Amino acid sequence: MEGLAVAAIAVAFYIAWNIGSNDSANAMGTAVGAGILSFRQATLTIAIFVLMGAYLRGYKVMKTVGKGIVPEGYLTMEMAVIALLAAGVWVTIATVKGLPVSTTQAIVGGVIGVGLATHAPVNWYTLGKIAAAWVVSPVLSGILAIFLFRFYGWVVSKIKSVSTIEALYKALAILGGSYMAFNFGTNEVANASGPLVGAGFMEPKVAGIFGAIALSIGALTFSYAVMHTVGKKITSLGPVSAFAAQFGSAIAVSLANFFGLPVSSSQSIVGGVIGVGLLAGEGVERGVIRDIVFGWVATPLTAIVISLAIFKAFSLVGLV
């Protein structure tokens, strides 16, 4: 059991590191892409607010991920390790390719996979609500981002002082990124720590701190490629459009947090970026969007397949 506990901690750290590597762009990619914050400034801000969000509000989504998909009592430590490992493998592949895929979808796919492999009951009603939130969140983010872009564009047009405008841009970038990072902690950290909480290995607050630290390390060491994709490759962003995309997606994720739904901040921020890109007349790189959408569709399905394959391999060597 001791060896299994060490493995669980290691795999949870691995997936949280992957979340930081891939999903930290959702909080600060637009600000970095617009040249408002440096990469190091962005990752430091992420670390502070992710920790706050995970510790203060992460328990609701942890409960859904850890106990809502496969009912409490069925998710064992072995199953948690397999689900996390399956998700981590796929997210690592996507991160190397610079694709902002959904870690949420990967974890949910991994949990479904081990549930199917062990013939445990799967709460399809809860999964239906989660899937619906995955569809609604990027659309809602885009709509909110368009509204915010128009409003703040009007505010900025009334300011005559260049120095005041520059200070406002900086403040908007920090505010929007910090708000998104806080929501990132409340929602995304649960993807790494939720299975451990569901298996009874950690208390939510301890799991939140652990996941936030591992996530921050991932953001610092391996997130630049995806930040570049979100901030530069989809469409060109100015300071106001960057803030509108960030804040619109943050509001959408906040609504999901209220209902305890593990939505994808990747999908939310991409929806916000597309919304302001179209409104501002910058256009959208369809090839990049096509690759991202493919990643969204492939992620839960691939995670299920990987989870089933890992469970089969572990069964052959007597680990489960």
Side-chain angles (χ1 to χ4, degrees):
M1 189 65 182
E2 183 177 344
L4 184 61
V6 172
I9 292 174
V11 176
F13 183 91
Y14 170 54
I15 189 65
W17 177 86
N18 268 303
I19 295 172
S21 299
N22 194 284
D23 289 4
S24 57
N26 305 332
M28 288 296 181
T30 52
V32 173
I36 299 170
L37 294 176
S38 70
F39 176 72
R40 290 193 176 276
Q41 288 174 325
T43 53
L44 177 60
T45 305
I46 288 168
I48 294 170
F49 283 92
V50 163
L51 182 60
M52 291 173 59
Y55 183 78
L56 296 174
R57 300 290 298 173
Y59 61 90
K60 292 187 72 173
V61 179
M62 286 183 203
K63 182 178 178 181
T64 300
V65 173
K67 302 177 182 180
I69 299 171
V70 174
E72 186 175 4
Y74 286 93
L75 188 65
T76 65
M77 187 65 68
E78 293 90 345
M79 293 169 66
V81 170
I82 292 171
L84 289 167
L85 186 58
V89 168
W90 171 242
V91 175
T92 297
I93 294 171
T95 300
V96 169
K97 293 183 174 296
L99 290 175
V101 300
S102 168
T103 309
T104 300
Q105 291 177 324
I107 287 290
V108 170
V111 173
I112 293 172
V114 293
L116 294 175
T118 59
H119 305 290
V122 175
N123 192 331
W124 296 107
Y125 174 71
T126 297
L127 284 175
K129 291 194 297 183
I130 293 171
W134 290 347
V135 175
V136 171
S137 62
V139 176
L140 180 60
S141 296
I143 294 171
L144 290 170
I146 288 172
F147 171 79
L148 289 167
F149 179 77
R150 286 188 177 277
F151 175 74
Y152 284 102
W154 175 80
V155 171
V156 170
S157 69
K158 300 298 182 180
I159 300 174
K160 304 303 180 182
S161 170
V162 175
S163 61
T164 302
I165 292 175
E166 289 178 350
L168 177 62
Y169 284 165
K170 185 80 170 181
L172 291 180
I174 295 172
L175 177 62
S178 299
Y179 180 27
M180 189 62 186
F182 181 86
N183 282 300
F184 191 36
T186 62
N187 202 289
E188 298 283 352
V189 166
N191 298 318
S193 54
L196 297 182
V197 173
F201 184 69
M202 284 186 181
E203 292 296 321
K205 288 189 180 297
V206 175
I209 295 173
F210 169 76
I213 292 172
L215 186 151
S216 299
I217 293 173
L220 179 63
T221 59
F222 207 53
S223 66
Y224 185 80
V226 182
M227 279 200 189
H228 182 68
T229 296
V230 171
K232 290 287 190 181
K233 286 188 176 180
I234 298 175
T235 186
S236 298
L237 291 172
V240 174
S241 57
F243 171 77
Q246 284 178 321
F247 217 74
S249 61
I251 294 172
V253 174
S254 290
L255 292 174
N257 292 340
F258 179 78
F259 293 103
L261 294 174
V263 299
S264 167
S265 58
S266 297
Q267 292 174 335
S268 295
I269 192 66
V270 170
V273 170
I274 291 173
V276 296
L278 292 174
L279 183 65
E282 296 289 349
V284 173
E285 292 292 337
R286 294 184 179 181
V288 175
I289 297 302
R290 184 174 59 248
D291 290 343
I292 291 172
V293 172
F294 171 78
W296 290 351
V297 174
T299 291
L301 299 177
T302 304
I304 291 173
V305 172
I306 294 174
S307 182
L308 289 169
I310 293 174
F311 183 87
K312 182 67 174 179
F314 279 23
S315 297
L316 291 175
V317 297
L319 293 177
V320 292

